[in-house]
Amino acid sequence: MSTVPKVSRQDIRKIISDNFNDTDYRFSNDEILQYLNDIDKYKSLNLDVLDFEDVLLEMEESGFLRPIAQNFNTRYYKIMTKLEAKTCKDCNTLSWFAEAEEPKICPRCRSESLA
């Protein structure tokens, strides 16, 4: 029995930051999937929107993503605040956070030293 492929939360955040980082713009999980399928590490996985639904639900719960419509497995969103790139001072990892997200913790080393 195969396991569901893990989609990086940081990859999802980067896609949103690069392509949908406007509070007036509407986008869907299908559009995010299209961008994921262009990333080398996901190309061979035959991803489906359900493979990263948990990441989007976490973003909804945090208040960053606002669901505005749904049609079967396609969900449409708007962001509540723009994402900002932050670099960890301890491990130099680039991450993306919503303005209001606190605390901002590095996903790699768990440090709160971000600039």
mmCIF file of all heavy atoms in Angstrom, residues 16-61:
data_model
loop_
_atom_site.group_PDB
_atom_site.id
_atom_site.type_symbol
_atom_site.label_atom_id
_atom_site.label_comp_id
_atom_site.label_asym_id
_atom_site.label_seq_id
_atom_site.Cartn_x
_atom_site.Cartn_y
_atom_site.Cartn_z
ATOM 1 N N ILE A 16 1.984 30.532 -3.576
ATOM 2 C CA ILE A 16 1.015 31.593 -3.284
ATOM 3 C C ILE A 16 1.698 32.952 -3.319
ATOM 4 O O ILE A 16 1.184 33.905 -3.911
ATOM 5 C CB ILE A 16 0.311 31.338 -1.929
ATOM 6 C CG1 ILE A 16 -0.587 30.096 -2.044
ATOM 7 C CG2 ILE A 16 -0.517 32.557 -1.517
ATOM 8 C CD1 ILE A 16 -1.162 29.615 -0.717
ATOM 9 N N SER A 17 2.876 33.052 -2.715
ATOM 10 C CA SER A 17 3.601 34.321 -2.691
ATOM 11 C C SER A 17 3.958 34.797 -4.103
ATOM 12 O O SER A 17 3.788 35.966 -4.433
ATOM 13 C CB SER A 17 4.868 34.175 -1.847
ATOM 14 O OG SER A 17 5.608 35.373 -1.854
ATOM 15 N N ASP A 18 4.449 33.885 -4.922
ATOM 16 C CA ASP A 18 4.899 34.252 -6.273
ATOM 17 C C ASP A 18 3.761 34.537 -7.245
ATOM 18 O O ASP A 18 3.932 35.315 -8.176
ATOM 19 C CB ASP A 18 5.757 33.132 -6.871
ATOM 20 C CG ASP A 18 7.119 32.999 -6.212
ATOM 21 O OD1 ASP A 18 7.487 33.877 -5.404
ATOM 22 O OD2 ASP A 18 7.812 31.998 -6.504
ATOM 23 N N ASN A 19 2.592 33.913 -7.038
ATOM 24 C CA ASN A 19 1.547 33.965 -8.062
ATOM 25 C C ASN A 19 0.214 34.558 -7.616
ATOM 26 O O ASN A 19 -0.559 35.005 -8.459
ATOM 27 C CB ASN A 19 1.296 32.548 -8.594
ATOM 28 C CG ASN A 19 2.548 31.942 -9.161
ATOM 29 O OD1 ASN A 19 2.976 32.291 -10.245
ATOM 30 N ND2 ASN A 19 3.161 31.055 -8.412
ATOM 31 N N PHE A 20 -0.075 34.534 -6.327
ATOM 32 C CA PHE A 20 -1.399 34.936 -5.859
ATOM 33 C C PHE A 20 -1.336 35.885 -4.668
ATOM 34 O O PHE A 20 -2.286 35.970 -3.891
ATOM 35 C CB PHE A 20 -2.227 33.705 -5.470
ATOM 36 C CG PHE A 20 -2.201 32.588 -6.471
ATOM 37 C CD1 PHE A 20 -1.628 31.370 -6.166
ATOM 38 C CD2 PHE A 20 -2.743 32.763 -7.734
ATOM 39 C CE1 PHE A 20 -1.602 30.335 -7.094
ATOM 40 C CE2 PHE A 20 -2.721 31.741 -8.669
ATOM 41 C CZ PHE A 20 -2.152 30.520 -8.353
ATOM 42 N N ASN A 21 -0.251 36.594 -4.488
ATOM 43 C CA ASN A 21 -0.025 37.384 -3.276
ATOM 44 C C ASN A 21 -0.723 38.745 -3.343
ATOM 45 O O ASN A 21 -0.094 39.793 -3.251
ATOM 46 C CB ASN A 21 1.479 37.554 -3.038
ATOM 47 C CG ASN A 21 1.812 37.745 -1.588
ATOM 48 O OD1 ASN A 21 1.002 37.483 -0.709
ATOM 49 N ND2 ASN A 21 3.018 38.208 -1.329
ATOM 50 N N ASP A 22 -2.027 38.701 -3.498
ATOM 51 C CA ASP A 22 -2.853 39.907 -3.588
ATOM 52 C C ASP A 22 -4.187 39.589 -2.910
ATOM 53 O O ASP A 22 -4.852 38.615 -3.263
ATOM 54 C CB ASP A 22 -3.070 40.270 -5.057
ATOM 55 C CG ASP A 22 -3.833 41.555 -5.256
ATOM 56 O OD1 ASP A 22 -4.677 41.923 -4.411
ATOM 57 O OD2 ASP A 22 -3.594 42.208 -6.287
ATOM 58 N N THR A 23 -4.580 40.398 -1.944
ATOM 59 C CA THR A 23 -5.801 40.110 -1.181
ATOM 60 C C THR A 23 -7.068 40.225 -2.015
ATOM 61 O O THR A 23 -8.124 39.759 -1.590
ATOM 62 C CB THR A 23 -5.905 41.035 0.048
ATOM 63 O OG1 THR A 23 -5.863 42.389 -0.387
ATOM 64 C CG2 THR A 23 -4.772 40.763 1.032
ATOM 65 N N ASP A 24 -6.995 40.809 -3.194
ATOM 66 C CA ASP A 24 -8.167 40.925 -4.064
ATOM 67 C C ASP A 24 -8.239 39.820 -5.114
ATOM 68 O O ASP A 24 -9.204 39.732 -5.860
ATOM 69 C CB ASP A 24 -8.179 42.283 -4.779
ATOM 70 C CG ASP A 24 -8.407 43.428 -3.812
ATOM 71 O OD1 ASP A 24 -9.134 43.239 -2.819
ATOM 72 O OD2 ASP A 24 -7.844 44.511 -4.050
ATOM 73 N N TYR A 25 -7.218 38.979 -5.204
ATOM 74 C CA TYR A 25 -7.134 37.962 -6.246
ATOM 75 C C TYR A 25 -7.743 36.650 -5.770
ATOM 76 O O TYR A 25 -7.483 36.197 -4.653
ATOM 77 C CB TYR A 25 -5.668 37.746 -6.641
ATOM 78 C CG TYR A 25 -5.489 36.910 -7.872
ATOM 79 C CD1 TYR A 25 -5.670 37.467 -9.130
ATOM 80 C CD2 TYR A 25 -5.165 35.567 -7.783
ATOM 81 C CE1 TYR A 25 -5.525 36.699 -10.273
ATOM 82 C CE2 TYR A 25 -5.007 34.790 -8.918
ATOM 83 C CZ TYR A 25 -5.192 35.363 -10.151
ATOM 84 O OH TYR A 25 -5.056 34.599 -11.277
ATOM 85 N N ARG A 26 -8.548 36.011 -6.611
ATOM 86 C CA ARG A 26 -9.145 34.715 -6.315
ATOM 87 C C ARG A 26 -8.342 33.637 -7.031
ATOM 88 O O ARG A 26 -7.992 33.793 -8.200
ATOM 89 C CB ARG A 26 -10.591 34.699 -6.807
ATOM 90 C CG ARG A 26 -11.303 33.387 -6.543
ATOM 91 C CD ARG A 26 -12.677 33.437 -7.130
ATOM 92 N NE ARG A 26 -12.610 32.807 -8.437
ATOM 93 C CZ ARG A 26 -13.631 32.233 -9.042
ATOM 94 N NH1 ARG A 26 -14.816 32.270 -8.495
ATOM 95 N NH2 ARG A 26 -13.488 31.668 -10.212
ATOM 96 N N PHE A 27 -8.053 32.542 -6.337
ATOM 97 C CA PHE A 27 -7.330 31.426 -6.950
ATOM 98 C C PHE A 27 -7.860 30.118 -6.388
ATOM 99 O O PHE A 27 -8.582 30.108 -5.391
ATOM 100 C CB PHE A 27 -5.811 31.547 -6.724
ATOM 101 C CG PHE A 27 -5.407 31.551 -5.279
ATOM 102 C CD1 PHE A 27 -5.006 30.379 -4.657
ATOM 103 C CD2 PHE A 27 -5.410 32.721 -4.541
ATOM 104 C CE1 PHE A 27 -4.632 30.381 -3.324
ATOM 105 C CE2 PHE A 27 -5.041 32.736 -3.213
ATOM 106 C CZ PHE A 27 -4.645 31.560 -2.601
ATOM 107 N N SER A 28 -7.503 29.015 -7.027
ATOM 108 C CA SER A 28 -8.035 27.710 -6.613
ATOM 109 C C SER A 28 -6.915 26.729 -6.285
ATOM 110 O O SER A 28 -5.751 26.926 -6.663
ATOM 111 C CB SER A 28 -8.900 27.116 -7.724
ATOM 112 O OG SER A 28 -8.084 26.681 -8.793
ATOM 113 N N ASN A 29 -7.310 25.660 -5.612
ATOM 114 C CA ASN A 29 -6.357 24.593 -5.338
ATOM 115 C C ASN A 29 -5.890 23.931 -6.642
ATOM 116 O O ASN A 29 -4.769 23.442 -6.717
ATOM 117 C CB ASN A 29 -6.924 23.572 -4.348
ATOM 118 C CG ASN A 29 -8.245 22.973 -4.771
ATOM 119 O OD1 ASN A 29 -8.864 23.371 -5.755
ATOM 120 N ND2 ASN A 29 -8.717 22.012 -3.986
ATOM 121 N N ASP A 30 -6.712 23.946 -7.676
ATOM 122 C CA ASP A 30 -6.304 23.407 -8.981
ATOM 123 C C ASP A 30 -5.165 24.232 -9.580
ATOM 124 O O ASP A 30 -4.250 23.684 -10.206
ATOM 125 C CB ASP A 30 -7.478 23.381 -9.963
ATOM 126 C CG ASP A 30 -8.508 22.318 -9.609
ATOM 127 O OD1 ASP A 30 -8.112 21.235 -9.123
ATOM 128 O OD2 ASP A 30 -9.706 22.570 -9.810
ATOM 129 N N GLU A 31 -5.205 25.542 -9.386
ATOM 130 C CA GLU A 31 -4.127 26.393 -9.893
ATOM 131 C C GLU A 31 -2.831 26.132 -9.131
ATOM 132 O O GLU A 31 -1.747 26.087 -9.727
ATOM 133 C CB GLU A 31 -4.516 27.869 -9.780
ATOM 134 C CG GLU A 31 -5.619 28.257 -10.749
ATOM 135 C CD GLU A 31 -6.129 29.660 -10.508
ATOM 136 O OE1 GLU A 31 -6.826 29.878 -9.499
ATOM 137 O OE2 GLU A 31 -5.802 30.537 -11.337
ATOM 138 N N ILE A 32 -2.941 25.934 -7.820
ATOM 139 C CA ILE A 32 -1.760 25.591 -7.028
ATOM 140 C C ILE A 32 -1.182 24.272 -7.530
ATOM 141 O O ILE A 32 0.033 24.125 -7.695
ATOM 142 C CB ILE A 32 -2.098 25.515 -5.528
ATOM 143 C CG1 ILE A 32 -2.459 26.910 -5.002
ATOM 144 C CG2 ILE A 32 -0.935 24.916 -4.735
ATOM 145 C CD1 ILE A 32 -3.021 26.920 -3.591
ATOM 146 N N LEU A 33 -2.051 23.303 -7.806
ATOM 147 C CA LEU A 33 -1.621 22.005 -8.322
ATOM 148 C C LEU A 33 -0.841 22.147 -9.626
ATOM 149 O O LEU A 33 0.175 21.482 -9.832
ATOM 150 C CB LEU A 33 -2.829 21.089 -8.512
ATOM 151 C CG LEU A 33 -2.543 19.706 -9.092
ATOM 152 C CD1 LEU A 33 -1.629 18.906 -8.179
ATOM 153 C CD2 LEU A 33 -3.857 18.962 -9.326
ATOM 154 N N GLN A 34 -1.289 23.011 -10.511
ATOM 155 C CA GLN A 34 -0.574 23.229 -11.778
ATOM 156 C C GLN A 34 0.856 23.696 -11.522
ATOM 157 O O GLN A 34 1.792 23.222 -12.161
ATOM 158 C CB GLN A 34 -1.311 24.247 -12.644
ATOM 159 C CG GLN A 34 -2.605 23.732 -13.209
ATOM 160 C CD GLN A 34 -3.406 24.816 -13.918
ATOM 161 O OE1 GLN A 34 -3.096 25.994 -13.847
ATOM 162 N NE2 GLN A 34 -4.453 24.392 -14.598
ATOM 163 N N TYR A 35 1.034 24.614 -10.579
ATOM 164 C CA TYR A 35 2.381 25.085 -10.249
ATOM 165 C C TYR A 35 3.205 23.987 -9.585
ATOM 166 O O TYR A 35 4.400 23.848 -9.857
ATOM 167 C CB TYR A 35 2.326 26.331 -9.360
ATOM 168 C CG TYR A 35 1.936 27.574 -10.118
ATOM 169 C CD1 TYR A 35 0.653 28.077 -10.049
ATOM 170 C CD2 TYR A 35 2.864 28.234 -10.914
ATOM 171 C CE1 TYR A 35 0.294 29.222 -10.745
ATOM 172 C CE2 TYR A 35 2.520 29.382 -11.621
ATOM 173 C CZ TYR A 35 1.231 29.869 -11.528
ATOM 174 O OH TYR A 35 0.879 30.992 -12.231
ATOM 175 N N LEU A 36 2.594 23.198 -8.700
ATOM 176 C CA LEU A 36 3.320 22.093 -8.067
ATOM 177 C C LEU A 36 3.826 21.105 -9.108
ATOM 178 O O LEU A 36 4.955 20.612 -9.010
ATOM 179 C CB LEU A 36 2.414 21.358 -7.068
ATOM 180 C CG LEU A 36 2.203 22.004 -5.726
ATOM 181 C CD1 LEU A 36 1.099 21.277 -4.960
ATOM 182 C CD2 LEU A 36 3.488 22.037 -4.915
ATOM 183 N N ASN A 37 3.011 20.818 -10.105
ATOM 184 C CA ASN A 37 3.397 19.864 -11.143
ATOM 185 C C ASN A 37 4.534 20.359 -12.016
ATOM 186 O O ASN A 37 5.128 19.582 -12.761
ATOM 187 C CB ASN A 37 2.188 19.480 -11.992
ATOM 188 C CG ASN A 37 1.261 18.542 -11.261
ATOM 189 O OD1 ASN A 37 1.696 17.736 -10.443
ATOM 190 N ND2 ASN A 37 -0.030 18.637 -11.533
ATOM 191 N N ASP A 38 4.864 21.648 -11.923
ATOM 192 C CA ASP A 38 6.013 22.204 -12.653
ATOM 193 C C ASP A 38 7.307 22.123 -11.840
ATOM 194 O O ASP A 38 8.378 22.427 -12.344
ATOM 195 C CB ASP A 38 5.755 23.668 -13.040
ATOM 196 C CG ASP A 38 4.735 23.797 -14.155
ATOM 197 O OD1 ASP A 38 4.525 22.816 -14.899
ATOM 198 O OD2 ASP A 38 4.141 24.885 -14.282
ATOM 199 N N ILE A 39 7.222 21.729 -10.578
ATOM 200 C CA ILE A 39 8.396 21.591 -9.718
ATOM 201 C C ILE A 39 8.934 20.170 -9.880
ATOM 202 O O ILE A 39 8.200 19.194 -9.749
ATOM 203 C CB ILE A 39 8.038 21.880 -8.237
ATOM 204 C CG1 ILE A 39 7.542 23.326 -8.094
ATOM 205 C CG2 ILE A 39 9.232 21.610 -7.329
ATOM 206 C CD1 ILE A 39 6.993 23.662 -6.709
ATOM 207 N N ASP A 40 10.224 20.052 -10.168
ATOM 208 C CA ASP A 40 10.836 18.750 -10.477
ATOM 209 C C ASP A 40 10.504 17.646 -9.482
ATOM 210 O O ASP A 40 10.172 16.535 -9.879
ATOM 211 C CB ASP A 40 12.359 18.884 -10.596
ATOM 212 C CG ASP A 40 12.782 19.583 -11.873
ATOM 213 O OD1 ASP A 40 11.970 19.630 -12.835
ATOM 214 O OD2 ASP A 40 13.921 20.089 -11.925
ATOM 215 N N LYS A 41 10.569 17.939 -8.183
ATOM 216 C CA LYS A 41 10.370 16.870 -7.201
ATOM 217 C C LYS A 41 8.936 16.345 -7.158
ATOM 218 O O LYS A 41 8.680 15.289 -6.583
ATOM 219 C CB LYS A 41 10.828 17.303 -5.811
ATOM 220 C CG LYS A 41 10.007 18.382 -5.161
ATOM 221 C CD LYS A 41 10.613 18.732 -3.803
ATOM 222 C CE LYS A 41 9.898 19.872 -3.146
ATOM 223 N NZ LYS A 41 10.527 20.230 -1.868
ATOM 224 N N TYR A 42 7.995 17.055 -7.774
ATOM 225 C CA TYR A 42 6.596 16.604 -7.785
ATOM 226 C C TYR A 42 6.146 16.062 -9.140
ATOM 227 O O TYR A 42 5.089 15.439 -9.227
ATOM 228 C CB TYR A 42 5.664 17.751 -7.373
ATOM 229 C CG TYR A 42 5.914 18.266 -5.979
ATOM 230 C CD1 TYR A 42 6.268 19.582 -5.769
ATOM 231 C CD2 TYR A 42 5.789 17.436 -4.870
ATOM 232 C CE1 TYR A 42 6.501 20.079 -4.490
ATOM 233 C CE2 TYR A 42 6.031 17.912 -3.591
ATOM 234 C CZ TYR A 42 6.378 19.236 -3.404
ATOM 235 O OH TYR A 42 6.608 19.710 -2.146
ATOM 236 N N LYS A 43 6.918 16.282 -10.182
ATOM 237 C CA LYS A 43 6.490 15.917 -11.540
ATOM 238 C C LYS A 43 6.100 14.447 -11.676
ATOM 239 O O LYS A 43 5.126 14.122 -12.326
ATOM 240 C CB LYS A 43 7.577 16.265 -12.555
ATOM 241 C CG LYS A 43 7.639 17.724 -12.873
ATOM 242 C CD LYS A 43 8.694 18.021 -13.914
ATOM 243 C CE LYS A 43 8.713 19.512 -14.202
ATOM 244 N NZ LYS A 43 9.742 19.862 -15.170
ATOM 245 N N SER A 44 6.846 13.565 -11.073
ATOM 246 C CA SER A 44 6.590 12.129 -11.252
ATOM 247 C C SER A 44 5.580 11.562 -10.252
ATOM 248 O O SER A 44 5.251 10.382 -10.310
ATOM 249 C CB SER A 44 7.899 11.353 -11.125
ATOM 250 O OG SER A 44 8.394 11.471 -9.817
ATOM 251 N N LEU A 45 5.055 12.390 -9.346
ATOM 252 C CA LEU A 45 4.189 11.876 -8.286
ATOM 253 C C LEU A 45 2.712 11.794 -8.652
ATOM 254 O O LEU A 45 1.936 11.223 -7.907
ATOM 255 C CB LEU A 45 4.343 12.731 -7.026
ATOM 256 C CG LEU A 45 5.719 12.727 -6.388
ATOM 257 C CD1 LEU A 45 5.741 13.618 -5.163
ATOM 258 C CD2 LEU A 45 6.146 11.312 -6.027
ATOM 259 N N ASN A 46 2.313 12.379 -9.778
ATOM 260 C CA ASN A 46 0.910 12.348 -10.182
ATOM 261 C C ASN A 46 0.011 12.869 -9.055
ATOM 262 O O ASN A 46 -0.905 12.194 -8.597
ATOM 263 C CB ASN A 46 0.505 10.939 -10.610
ATOM 264 C CG ASN A 46 -0.799 10.929 -11.367
ATOM 265 O OD1 ASN A 46 -1.174 11.929 -11.994
ATOM 266 N ND2 ASN A 46 -1.501 9.811 -11.333
ATOM 267 N N LEU A 47 0.311 14.079 -8.595
ATOM 268 C CA LEU A 47 -0.416 14.687 -7.481
ATOM 269 C C LEU A 47 -1.869 14.991 -7.817
ATOM 270 O O LEU A 47 -2.214 15.217 -8.970
ATOM 271 C CB LEU A 47 0.256 15.992 -7.060
ATOM 272 C CG LEU A 47 1.620 15.907 -6.401
ATOM 273 C CD1 LEU A 47 2.170 17.308 -6.167
ATOM 274 C CD2 LEU A 47 1.551 15.143 -5.094
ATOM 275 N N ASP A 48 -2.664 15.045 -6.778
ATOM 276 C CA ASP A 48 -4.063 15.440 -6.843
ATOM 277 C C ASP A 48 -4.265 16.521 -5.781
ATOM 278 O O ASP A 48 -3.487 16.594 -4.828
ATOM 279 C CB ASP A 48 -4.933 14.211 -6.532
ATOM 280 C CG ASP A 48 -6.411 14.511 -6.616
ATOM 281 O OD1 ASP A 48 -6.977 14.410 -7.700
ATOM 282 O OD2 ASP A 48 -6.986 14.863 -5.554
ATOM 283 N N VAL A 49 -5.289 17.340 -5.912
ATOM 284 C CA VAL A 49 -5.519 18.400 -4.925
ATOM 285 C C VAL A 49 -5.707 17.845 -3.513
ATOM 286 O O VAL A 49 -5.409 18.525 -2.537
ATOM 287 C CB VAL A 49 -6.712 19.311 -5.307
ATOM 288 C CG1 VAL A 49 -6.403 20.093 -6.568
ATOM 289 C CG2 VAL A 49 -7.997 18.526 -5.437
ATOM 290 N N LEU A 50 -6.160 16.623 -3.393
ATOM 291 C CA LEU A 50 -6.349 16.024 -2.071
ATOM 292 C C LEU A 50 -5.015 15.720 -1.386
ATOM 293 O O LEU A 50 -4.965 15.584 -0.166
ATOM 294 C CB LEU A 50 -7.191 14.756 -2.180
ATOM 295 C CG LEU A 50 -8.615 14.963 -2.712
ATOM 296 C CD1 LEU A 50 -9.328 13.630 -2.865
ATOM 297 C CD2 LEU A 50 -9.397 15.919 -1.842
ATOM 298 N N ASP A 51 -3.924 15.654 -2.155
ATOM 299 C CA ASP A 51 -2.609 15.365 -1.594
ATOM 300 C C ASP A 51 -2.043 16.510 -0.759
ATOM 301 O O ASP A 51 -1.116 16.312 0.015
ATOM 302 C CB ASP A 51 -1.608 15.007 -2.696
ATOM 303 C CG ASP A 51 -1.937 13.682 -3.356
ATOM 304 O OD1 ASP A 51 -2.477 12.791 -2.678
ATOM 305 O OD2 ASP A 51 -1.647 13.544 -4.559
ATOM 306 N N PHE A 52 -2.580 17.709 -0.916
ATOM 307 C CA PHE A 52 -2.102 18.840 -0.110
ATOM 308 C C PHE A 52 -3.248 19.585 0.560
ATOM 309 O O PHE A 52 -3.087 20.698 1.052
ATOM 310 C CB PHE A 52 -1.222 19.793 -0.933
ATOM 311 C CG PHE A 52 -1.869 20.367 -2.159
ATOM 312 C CD1 PHE A 52 -2.492 21.604 -2.120
ATOM 313 C CD2 PHE A 52 -1.844 19.678 -3.353
ATOM 314 C CE1 PHE A 52 -3.090 22.143 -3.244
ATOM 315 C CE2 PHE A 52 -2.434 20.208 -4.492
ATOM 316 C CZ PHE A 52 -3.060 21.449 -4.435
ATOM 317 N N GLU A 53 -4.400 18.940 0.631
ATOM 318 C CA GLU A 53 -5.567 19.538 1.282
ATOM 319 C C GLU A 53 -5.288 19.881 2.743
ATOM 320 O O GLU A 53 -5.722 20.922 3.245
ATOM 321 C CB GLU A 53 -6.751 18.579 1.179
ATOM 322 C CG GLU A 53 -8.009 19.095 1.830
ATOM 323 C CD GLU A 53 -9.164 18.107 1.704
ATOM 324 O OE1 GLU A 53 -8.942 16.899 1.881
ATOM 325 O OE2 GLU A 53 -10.274 18.573 1.431
ATOM 326 N N ASP A 54 -4.512 19.030 3.447
ATOM 327 C CA ASP A 54 -4.197 19.289 4.849
ATOM 328 C C ASP A 54 -3.432 20.595 5.029
ATOM 329 O O ASP A 54 -3.656 21.340 5.988
ATOM 330 C CB ASP A 54 -3.430 18.123 5.470
ATOM 331 C CG ASP A 54 -2.109 17.822 4.775
ATOM 332 O OD1 ASP A 54 -2.011 18.010 3.541
ATOM 333 O OD2 ASP A 54 -1.161 17.387 5.462
ATOM 334 N N VAL A 55 -2.547 20.913 4.094
ATOM 335 C CA VAL A 55 -1.776 22.161 4.157
ATOM 336 C C VAL A 55 -2.716 23.359 4.004
ATOM 337 O O VAL A 55 -2.628 24.341 4.751
ATOM 338 C CB VAL A 55 -0.682 22.193 3.062
ATOM 339 C CG1 VAL A 55 0.039 23.534 3.057
ATOM 340 C CG2 VAL A 55 0.300 21.046 3.248
ATOM 341 N N LEU A 56 -3.630 23.278 3.052
ATOM 342 C CA LEU A 56 -4.571 24.383 2.833
ATOM 343 C C LEU A 56 -5.518 24.543 4.020
ATOM 344 O O LEU A 56 -5.843 25.671 4.413
ATOM 345 C CB LEU A 56 -5.345 24.174 1.532
ATOM 346 C CG LEU A 56 -4.484 24.136 0.264
ATOM 347 C CD1 LEU A 56 -5.358 23.861 -0.960
ATOM 348 C CD2 LEU A 56 -3.684 25.404 0.087
ATOM 349 N N LEU A 57 -5.945 23.433 4.615
ATOM 350 C CA LEU A 57 -6.816 23.511 5.797
ATOM 351 C C LEU A 57 -6.100 24.182 6.970
ATOM 352 O O LEU A 57 -6.702 24.975 7.691
ATOM 353 C CB LEU A 57 -7.312 22.119 6.192
ATOM 354 C CG LEU A 57 -8.341 21.499 5.241
ATOM 355 C CD1 LEU A 57 -8.625 20.052 5.640
ATOM 356 C CD2 LEU A 57 -9.616 22.312 5.186
ATOM 357 N N GLU A 58 -4.816 23.893 7.147
ATOM 358 C CA GLU A 58 -4.033 24.563 8.190
ATOM 359 C C GLU A 58 -3.983 26.072 7.943
ATOM 360 O O GLU A 58 -4.081 26.864 8.872
ATOM 361 C CB GLU A 58 -2.604 24.021 8.231
ATOM 362 C CG GLU A 58 -2.469 22.677 8.883
ATOM 363 C CD GLU A 58 -1.040 22.156 8.831
ATOM 364 O OE1 GLU A 58 -0.104 22.928 8.502
ATOM 365 O OE2 GLU A 58 -0.860 20.965 9.115
ATOM 366 N N MET A 59 -3.818 26.450 6.671
ATOM 367 C CA MET A 59 -3.762 27.870 6.323
ATOM 368 C C MET A 59 -5.120 28.541 6.541
ATOM 369 O O MET A 59 -5.186 29.705 6.908
ATOM 370 C CB MET A 59 -3.290 28.055 4.886
ATOM 371 C CG MET A 59 -1.848 27.700 4.673
ATOM 372 S SD MET A 59 -1.391 27.928 2.952
ATOM 373 C CE MET A 59 0.282 27.346 2.986
ATOM 374 N N GLU A 60 -6.191 27.804 6.325
ATOM 375 C CA GLU A 60 -7.529 28.333 6.620
ATOM 376 C C GLU A 60 -7.682 28.551 8.121
ATOM 377 O O GLU A 60 -8.168 29.597 8.552
ATOM 378 C CB GLU A 60 -8.614 27.360 6.149
ATOM 379 C CG GLU A 60 -8.832 27.313 4.668
ATOM 380 C CD GLU A 60 -9.913 26.315 4.291
ATOM 381 O OE1 GLU A 60 -10.903 26.174 5.052
ATOM 382 O OE2 GLU A 60 -9.782 25.675 3.230
ATOM 383 N N GLU A 61 -7.286 27.545 8.910
ATOM 384 C CA GLU A 61 -7.424 27.632 10.366
ATOM 385 C C GLU A 61 -6.601 28.783 10.944
ATOM 386 O O GLU A 61 -7.003 29.394 11.929
ATOM 387 C CB GLU A 61 -7.017 26.309 11.011
ATOM 388 C CG GLU A 61 -8.018 25.208 10.759
ATOM 389 C CD GLU A 61 -7.538 23.846 11.245
ATOM 390 O OE1 GLU A 61 -6.531 23.766 11.986
ATOM 391 O OE2 GLU A 61 -8.177 22.854 10.868
#
